[in-house]
Amino acid sequence: MSINPDQPTAPTGAESAALDGLIAPEAVPAAQWSSDDVLAALDPDQRAVASQPLGPMCVLAGAGSGKTRAITHRIAYGVKAGAYAPSRVLAVTFTARAAGEMRTRLRSLGVPGVQARTFHSAALRQLRYFWPQAVGGAAPEIVSAKAPLVAESASRLRLSTDRAAIRDLSAEIEWAKVSMLTDESYPAAAAAAGRAVNGADHITVGRLLAQYEAIKTQRGVIDFEDVLLLMVGILRESGEVARAVRAQYRHFVVDEYQDVNAVQQRLLDEWVGERKDVCVVGDPAQTIYSFTGATPSHLLDFPRHHPGASVVRLTRNYRSTPQVVNVANLVLGGARGQVPRLELRAQGEPGPAPTLTSYPDDEAEAAGVAATVAQLIESGTPASSIAILYRTNAQSEPLEEALAEAGVAYLVRGGERFFSRPEVRRGLVLLRGAVRGDDGTVPLAKLVGDVLTGAGWQHSAPAARGAVREQWESLDALVQLARTMAGTHPEARLRDLVADLDERAAAMHAPAVCGVTLSSLHAAKGLEWDVVFLVGCSDGLLPIAMAEGNDAIEEERRLLYVGLTRARHDLRLTWAAARAAGGRATRRPSRFLDPAAEVLGQGARARRAPGRSSQPSARRVARPKHCRGCGTELITAAMRKRNRCDDCPPAYDPELFERIRTWRAETAKEAKVPAYVVFTDATLEAIAERRPSDVASLSAISGVGARKLALYGGAVLALVEGATPQEAAVAKLDEPDQPDRTLLD
């Protein structure tokens, strides 16, 4: 049978013992604890894990429920009770950090000598030891990176060899190998799984896989996936090696079992053999690596494969406040997939209510988050206890920029710093080379876009996912910076942009030993902070736009759940209505937050018509707009706003435009905000071209919303009527019931 985490846990002891179970034996060093002392330091559910050191066991451990504590105490109890020797235990997990933490905890419990390793580390150790006996000679060398071999393979097949394509193809080769596929079996399996990579068809990728394996064989090298595959093969084919391994390791613990892929499961089966002493720990609700071949089915089907296995559920959350746990439960409770969940029960003291803050655009969101972080640090919150999490690495750029401008030190986890990314560095080289040729006749944003096409930028986002999309996002961020500078300083040229970028890059590399952590949600798994900002909580980012089908959507929900449960005390969610300043507000809060709307407030409710389902629906495709001068399709929001392309001359009165622009500069200076916050250049041009004569015609212009109409409407209409910037500064809109009053006081 398979597991249903919603079933009640079997009795594990009196609930009244819960508090006593968390009190460690007084005045006795842990290294001197008896087996009873080890159990006394646990809650009833954790005690149920530790008190059964023999036989098959499946531990379903919710976020922050003390799973590492439970399994290390299980090993310690087994050793201190005489059930096994520490050298006979192999504990495996997925990261070197987690393995190191496990070893540290075991030593502190007085149980040194336990092998706590990653799957790859354990397999590599065995491979090198047994290779001379099973194969002969020294084990082959492991390539440090497969990208060069993949590039050579692609070149032989006349495929694209740019960095982004090679990165995506390398990832696909990894998926094929951990799924134990060959070049012949790959096409059918990839088609069934809905895999797509860089526009290459499945048969072509299969041929690439064959070429890649041939090159490795010719050079006598292996990759990291081969370490697992070769060890599986040796254990299956050499009875002597299998007996030696099983004699050495008789008791197994596997952490993060929901992340196990096919080859790792096969290796574990070979290690265990006919034995029954295996304990697996995981949370199906934290399955977020299916793109690497991971599946929670191994965890959920464990009792069926191991009859008589004990199943224990850890649902007490010791990490987060009840408020954070409540939001996490609500978000996960809206799941529509087949992966079951554990209802967390908060054990900590109450804390502040989680918040959801909306911003007009990504830049404003980054600036708002950076300002709040700076305030927290100034009030005494350590920078190292704060994290900003996001869905894609491309989202880090405005956050890095905003934190640097706010003087906040930071470090990036799970991705390269923006200005260290190869495509960004290549783009900066091209921009520096183009400075001399900038004679001022080409608008800055257009010039930057033209230059960056040499680095792979294009006007519209590529359909491909993965590294190709991330590379485009990085280069597009440079284009967006150029557009922002052009809007703020119309006289700026390319040399000014390059100088600004150099200054930003220098600021990004400021020492950040104790800085705020920037991390993707995937890279944040297993970590925790006192304060967590989760940015980009809008449909299109969470879930990511490329997620297709219910399974993919639900994995995105679980990814958000992982992010929510990283917060110990203070959880702050944010989202932006538009990507760029002055852009159309097309985004809505993430549908995943709908179940938590009552907790997070009105800001969490997606602005949908009454009764409209929160499930994704077919998108309405807007008709393309064309330049009224030359008929070219308008590809940017700014072009569409003014109804002309960058190449066609403006149709407005230059004197009026300069008058409005002067007023905008003075208004922005007084308000201490960038000029584009008042109105973008594109909006100013649209106003100067259309010359609105009343509130209705002014409000019809894109970029003039209700708030800006109330703030600046009177001034703009006065300027159109001929007022000077100084006169316009005191102009007010007509009162609704007094339409004949003059616009000027």
Side-chain angles (χ1 to χ4, degrees):
M1 68 174 183
S2 59
I3 293 173
N4 178 4
D6 295 323
Q7 292 176 349
T9 304
T12 59
E15 289 298 320
S16 61
L19 291 177
D20 292 338
L22 293 178
I23 300 176
E26 297 183 2
V28 179
Q32 300 176 20
W33 284 1
S34 67
S35 57
D36 289 339
D37 293 336
V38 171
L39 296 182
L42 305 175
D43 72 23
D45 296 331
Q46 295 168 347
R47 195 175 305 145
V49 175
S51 62
Q52 303 176 60
L54 298 176
M57 175 176 285
C58 178
V59 182
L60 299 176
S65 62
K67 65 180 177 65
T68 305
R69 180 183 182 85
I71 58 178
T72 52
H73 279 67
R74 182 181 191 270
I75 295 171
Y77 178 80
V79 172
K80 292 178 181 291
Y84 41 67
S87 61
R88 294 290 185 261
V89 180
L90 177 60
V92 291
T93 186
F94 283 81
T95 66
R97 180 191 60 80
E101 180 181 354
M102 196 177 294
R103 288 192 297 269
T104 299
R105 293 201 189 192
L106 287 168
R107 283 195 297 269
S108 71
L109 290 170
V111 188
V114 173
Q115 290 294 316
R117 297 180 175 273
T118 65
F119 270 101
H120 280 88
S121 174
L124 179 58
R125 187 167 181 261
Q126 295 173 15
L127 185 69
R128 286 174 171 166
Y129 183 83
F130 289 110
W131 186 275
Q133 173 185 341
V135 181
E141 179 185 352
I142 302 174
V143 294
S144 58
K146 60 172 54 66
L149 299 182
V150 175
E152 184 176 345
S153 303
S155 178
R156 292 185 181 185
L157 297 176
R158 298 183 179 180
L159 300 176
S160 173
T161 56
D162 67 69
R163 174 180 172 270
I166 296 306
R167 180 174 154 187
D168 289 347
L169 289 170
S170 298
E172 192 67 5
I173 287 176
E174 290 177 9
W175 177 82
K177 298 189 72 169
V178 300
S179 301
M180 305 190 76
L181 301 172
T182 65
D183 59 297
E184 295 179 348
S185 60
Y186 168 82
R195 306 285 296 189
V197 54
N198 202 38
D201 61 80
H202 298 136
I203 294 177
T204 299
V205 177
R207 292 172 56 212
L208 176 74
L209 178 58
Q211 190 69 243
Y212 171 77
E213 294 298 326
I215 292 176
K216 285 199 293 107
T217 300
Q218 292 168 4
R219 298 183 182 175
V221 297
I222 60 175
D223 59 26
F224 281 101
E225 290 72 44
D226 289 328
V227 172
L228 303 182
L229 290 165
L230 288 170
M231 199 59 221
V232 168
I234 290 174
L235 289 169
R236 294 184 65 181
E237 296 175 8
S238 174
E240 185 176 354
V241 171
R243 284 189 294 272
V245 171
R246 292 166 189 165
Q248 175 65 43
Y249 300 118
R250 304 190 179 196
H251 309 276
F252 299 86
V253 175
V254 186
D255 193 13
E256 301 289 359
Y257 195 54
Q258 78 279 347
D259 292 334
V260 166
N261 57 42
V263 68
Q264 289 166 337
Q265 181 60 54
R266 186 69 62 85
L267 179 59
L268 178 63
D269 291 340
E270 295 298 330
W271 281 340
V272 174
E274 299 299 321
R275 302 182 187 280
K276 299 183 181 298
D277 291 331
V278 56
C279 173
V280 299
V281 188
D283 181 5
Q286 297 189 63
T287 304
I288 59 173
Y289 294 111
S290 65
F291 60 90
T292 67
T295 170
S297 62
H298 302 301
L299 174 66
L300 298 174
D301 292 340
F302 186 85
R304 182 166 59 85
H305 294 297
H306 298 79
S310 298
V311 178
V312 182
R313 295 166 178 81
L314 304 182
T315 59
R316 292 178 174 87
N317 179 284
Y318 296 101
R319 175 188 299 155
S320 306
T321 64
Q323 289 79 6
V324 172
V325 168
N326 183 39
V327 171
N329 281 335
L330 289 170
V331 167
L332 200 59
R336 298 173 182 268
Q338 299 299 313
V339 177
R341 67 187 183 92
L342 294 163
E343 183 82 13
L344 298 177
R345 295 178 290 162
Q347 306 297 301
E349 295 295 323
T355 60
L356 177 68
T357 304
S358 63
Y359 292 92
D361 54 71
D362 288 349
E363 187 171 344
E365 180 182 28
V369 169
T372 305
V373 168
Q375 292 171 2
L376 287 170
I377 294 173
E378 186 175 355
S379 65
T381 303
S384 59
S385 67
I386 303 173
I388 304 174
L389 310 182
Y390 38 78
R391 175 61 180 85
T392 69
N393 287 329
Q395 291 173 260
S396 74
E397 184 275 327
L399 293 165
E400 293 179 47
E401 176 186 332
L403 289 170
E405 290 182 353
V408 176
Y410 66 90
L411 53 92
V412 181
R413 181 181 180 86
E416 301 165 294
R417 290 177 181 271
F418 177 78
F419 286 100
S420 296
R421 295 170 188 166
E423 62 270 19
V424 174
R425 293 163 62 184
R426 185 166 59 252
L428 288 175
V429 170
L430 292 174
L431 291 173
R432 291 190 186 99
V435 167
R436 289 188 177 182
D438 179 16
D439 59 5
T441 60
V442 180
L444 178 61
K446 185 178 186 304
L447 176 60
V448 170
D450 291 343
V451 172
L452 292 182
T453 55
W457 183 81
Q458 55 189 15
H459 286 290
S460 56
R465 64 184 69 182
V468 172
R469 177 63 180 251
E470 289 180 9
Q471 176 182 343
W472 179 86
E473 293 279 1
S474 296
L475 294 174
D476 191 60
L478 297 178
V479 177
Q480 296 298 332
L481 285 173
R483 288 173 179 159
T484 299
M485 174 172 280
T488 308
H489 305 289
E491 72 285 354
R493 304 310 320 150
L494 187 56
R495 64 177 178 276
D496 302 310
L497 176 66
V498 169
D500 183 63
L501 289 171
D502 287 340
E503 291 178 4
R504 293 174 188 272
M508 299 309 165
H509 293 297
V513 176
C514 296
V516 173
T517 298
L518 292 176
S519 174
S520 69
L521 288 168
H522 282 99
K525 190 171 182 295
L527 303 175
E528 57 187 72
W529 296 268
D530 287 341
V531 184
V532 168
F533 290 82
L534 215 166
V535 304
C537 294
S538 59
D539 278 348
L541 289 172
L542 280 168
I544 196 75
M546 64 184 67
E548 299 178 356
N550 188 70
D551 289 346
I553 294 294
E554 288 307 317
E555 182 156 335
E556 293 288 305
R557 183 192 301 274
R558 296 194 295 273
L559 188 58
L560 173 58
Y561 172 78
V562 167
L564 298 173
T565 54
R566 299 310 95 196
R568 298 190 192 105
H569 182 72
D570 194 349
L571 175 63
R572 307 190 184 203
L573 312 178
T574 67
W575 68 284
R579 176 178 178 180
R584 186 179 178 186
T586 57
R587 292 175 179 164
R588 296 294 179 264
S590 171
R591 71 194 73 163
F592 298 149
L593 298 179
D594 285 357
E598 296 300 324
V599 177
L600 295 173
Q602 292 292 332
R605 294 187 177 91
R607 299 168 187 171
R608 302 180 177 96
R612 180 178 172 185
S613 169
S614 64
Q615 293 302 300
S617 58
R619 296 184 178 181
R620 187 175 299 172
V621 180
R623 293 182 178 179
K625 296 183 67 175
H626 296 84
C627 175
R628 62 187 179 188
C630 65
T632 302
E633 183 177 343
L634 303 178
I635 56 177
T636 69
M639 292 180 186
R640 291 191 290 270
K641 183 180 295 185
R642 59 188 179 230
N643 289 320
R644 66 174 176 81
C645 67
D646 291 332
D647 295 328
C648 287
Y652 56 76
D653 180 356
E655 182 181 349
L656 172 58
F657 178 78
E658 286 302 318
R659 200 161 61 243
I660 300 175
R661 192 161 69 90
T662 300
W663 162 83
R664 181 187 65 173
E666 295 173 354
T667 302
K669 183 178 180 180
E670 183 178 352
K672 298 181 180 180
V673 297
Y676 67 80
V677 172
V678 180
F679 286 122
T680 65
D681 269 10
T683 300
L684 295 191
E685 291 183 16
I687 292 171
E689 287 185 356
R690 302 185 193 181
R691 303 184 67 92
S693 59
D694 52 35
V695 171
S697 56
L698 177 59
S699 62
I701 295 176
S702 178
V704 185
R707 179 176 176 276
K708 292 190 177 182
L709 188 67
L711 288 174
Y712 312 123
V716 170
L717 292 176
L719 288 163
V720 173
E721 291 297 319
T724 66
Q726 293 72 30
E727 293 171 333
V730 296
K732 306 294 182 184
L733 281 177
D734 285 338
E735 297 293 336
D737 57 347
Q738 296 177 321
D740 295 328
R741 285 181 57 193
T742 178
L743 289 172
L744 298 179
D745 290 338

